[in-house]
Amino acid sequence: MDIKEKVKGLVKEEEVIQLLRDIVKIPSHWAQELREKPISDFLMQFFKEAGIETYQQEVFPGRPNVVAVIRGIGAGTSLMFNGHIDTVPPFGMEAPFSAEVREGRIYGRGTSDMKSGVASMAYAMKLLKESGVRLKGDVVYVGVIDEDAAGSAGTRYVVKNGPHTDLAIVGEPTSLQPVVAHKGCDYFTITFHGRSVHSSVPWNGANANYAASEFIQRVEKEMIPRWSAKKHPFCSPPTINVGLIQGAAKANMPYLLGESPTFAGIIPDICKVHIDVRWIPTQTIKEIEDEFRVLAEEVAKQREGITSTVEFIDMYRPAMEIDPDNILVKSIQKNSREVLKKEYPIKGETYWGDSGLLCTLAGIPSIMYGPGDIGCAHSDVEWVEMDELSKAALIYALTAIDVCGVEE
């Protein structure tokens, strides 16, 4: 029997559904004491029972990644299944860990983002193991911590320490549409320094808030239109968000802290403008930082007594792009057509995933592909279509066979 047909015959939809329900019932968000440890332990036991080599990587004390490996004969391309095992907290969600089944969907925190991908990838490993296929290259599953907590320490650990593979699939919720590019997501603080004086003689000082205000207006009127004209074959234009402004005289800090009933009449000597950018693969952080610096310095030079600094917040979350002709992309497209009975075109996305770290920092060409709808992620009503789970698992397994190769 053809090995792919054998794998197809092993799929039991109820098993992958139950696997997802089991892990949804395990809280793994940053607002609880144990964080990701219980779900990491659960997945490790799942792999042990499936006869798959498995171990944990302790990224922080008590917070481990879980790794599973099906080793090839060492003569083929290796493939990583990567998925974050943490979620955001329940917030206002009702019964967040019930994994309730209703009208063809499973509801609960993480059902879409991204325990559905985590479960489907784990089940794909089980399918490959049960099939007895002799792969040429390794298939490596890495369930990583800390992505939804915004640090992505789990994948950063993998980038630095391994395991490394030739290619990677990140199972973020893409509604089973192949995502070949996504934007980067990074943060800057632009600070304007002025000179405080009594507000009755403002001409003797330098108002940092006015400088920041001019800078913000120029971002809106000059930078944003310029960025809106930038093109990419898969991603929409890059965006800039002025998200937070903090400006005051240092002497007014007691008022801001609630220690004084009123603020003093003092010209503000410092104003910080916090900006987040969603940038496309054709840009670089260095270019973006330089663009902010040039604009800030232009504003400062036109105002006596004002200076400026630009700080990149070092949580580098780079953009991702993979060649549409890469074997991984072609294989996912082919297997998706076969399993889903429809054609999904490749696309780009505005949201970020750990694929940016694997692609840019580890040099591992990566694609985002997984069950679930990003539109309900982090919301109070989160769900996944049950029939996406077994289909995703099968597509992952068939893609591993294509990419890693089979011993003749």
Side-chain angles (χ1 to χ4, degrees):
M1 180 188 294
D2 176 77
I3 190 61
K4 285 191 170 184
E5 292 303 315
K6 186 174 183 180
V7 169
K8 291 175 187 176
L10 292 170
V11 176
K12 296 181 178 62
E13 187 176 16
E14 66 276 9
E15 289 184 350
V16 67
I17 288 172
Q18 188 58 53
L19 176 58
L20 174 59
R21 295 190 71 206
D22 287 343
I23 64 175
V24 168
K25 291 176 182 179
I26 302 172
S28 55
H29 57 84
W30 51 258
Q32 53 148 16
E33 182 180 0
L34 295 177
R35 303 289 287 263
E36 306 93 347
K37 183 67 162 62
I39 189 173
S40 180
D41 290 345
F42 176 90
L43 287 167
M44 190 171 180
Q45 185 61 34
F46 171 83
F47 289 123
K48 283 182 178 178
E49 291 176 1
I52 298 170
E53 176 186 342
T54 185
Y55 61 94
Q56 290 176 319
Q57 300 172 316
E58 192 164 58
V59 180
F60 300 123
R63 296 181 61 194
N65 290 340
V66 58
V67 182
V69 185
I70 297 176
R71 299 198 181 276
I73 63 172
T77 300
S78 56
L79 176 66
M80 180 189 301
F81 295 145
N82 176 289
H84 64 83
I85 57 177
D86 67 320
T87 71
V88 296
F91 302 127
M93 179 177 281
E94 295 182 9
F97 309 116
S98 66
E100 178 187 359
V101 174
R102 189 170 74 249
E103 298 178 347
R105 294 175 173 178
I106 303 173
Y107 289 82
R109 178 55 80 224
T111 47
S112 177
D113 185 18
M114 59 167 286
K115 289 182 175 179
S116 54
V118 166
S120 297
M121 287 177 159
Y123 192 70
M125 296 287 284
K126 184 173 184 286
L127 292 175
L128 291 168
K129 181 67 175 179
E130 288 182 350
S131 74
V133 63
R134 290 272 292 166
L135 296 172
K136 292 182 179 179
D138 297 346
V139 183
V140 181
Y141 177 104
V142 187
V144 294
I145 70 165
D146 196 51
E147 199 271 357
D148 264 335
S152 289
T155 293
R156 293 182 196 276
Y157 184 95
V158 171
V159 167
K160 184 176 180 180
N161 301 286
H164 293 159
T165 54
D166 297 311
L167 298 168
I169 304 173
V170 174
E172 289 282 1
T174 69
S175 299
L176 298 181
Q177 298 182 56
V179 173
V180 298
H182 66 66
K183 294 180 179 181
C185 175
D186 283 292
Y187 298 81
F188 293 87
T189 298
I190 293 84
T191 304
F192 291 91
H193 301 271
R195 184 170 59 249
S196 284
V197 295
H198 195 282
S199 61
S200 66
V201 286
W203 49 83
N204 289 337
N207 193 313
N209 285 358
Y210 292 160
S213 176
E214 181 184 343
F215 172 81
I216 292 166
Q217 288 184 57
R218 290 188 62 179
V219 166
E220 182 182 16
K221 302 257 190 311
E222 299 173 22
M223 281 189 69
I224 289 177
R226 193 161 60 239
W227 279 37
S228 296
K230 294 180 182 292
K231 305 295 184 185
H232 187 272
F234 299 108
C235 293
S236 59
T239 56
I240 303 172
N241 173 50
V242 176
L244 178 64
I245 306 165
Q246 297 172 297
K250 295 185 183 73
N252 279 326
M253 291 305 295
Y255 174 76
L256 295 176
L257 297 173
E259 298 169 357
S260 170
T262 185
F263 66 91
I266 302 174
I267 298 299
D269 58 349
I270 187 169
C271 188
K272 295 188 176 186
V273 181
H274 303 274
I275 295 176
D276 67 271
V277 295
R278 302 279 175 160
W279 53 281
I280 57 178
T282 52
Q283 296 176 287
T284 69
I285 282 296
K286 174 76 165 54
E287 292 169 352
I288 295 168
E289 184 174 353
D290 287 346
E291 197 169 353
F292 281 131
R293 180 171 290 107
V294 167
L295 183 56
E297 288 176 353
E298 286 179 1
V299 169
K301 285 177 182 177
Q302 293 170 5
R303 292 175 173 271
E304 185 180 352
I306 296 290
T307 60
S308 65
T309 59
V310 175
E311 178 190 5
F312 169 60
I313 308 303
D314 192 11
M315 290 176 56
Y316 187 40
R317 294 193 284 187
M320 178 277 286
E321 184 173 29
I322 186 172
D323 186 341
D325 290 326
N326 187 286
I327 184 176
L328 178 58
V329 179
K330 294 298 186 184
S331 176
I332 284 181
Q333 285 183 291
K334 180 188 69 174
N335 292 312
S336 295
R337 280 194 300 269
E338 181 179 342
V339 173
L340 303 176
K341 309 302 182 189
K342 65 186 298 186
E343 180 80 40
Y344 281 126
I346 56 178
K347 60 179 291 193
E349 269 300 349
T350 57
Y351 59 89
W352 187 84
D354 278 351
S355 39
L357 299 175
L358 295 173
C359 177
T360 303
L361 299 186
I364 301 172
S366 305
I367 189 171
M368 281 205 312
Y369 184 81
D373 183 350
I374 192 66
C376 69
H378 300 191
S379 73
D380 288 347
V381 182
E382 186 176 357
W383 49 268
V384 67
E385 300 283 356
M386 287 193 295
D387 66 356
E388 286 189 7
L389 302 173
S390 59
K391 291 174 181 176
L394 179 56
I395 291 166
Y396 291 143
L398 297 178
T399 299
I401 290 170
D402 286 341
V403 169
C404 300
V406 178
E407 184 183 27
E408 300 296 335

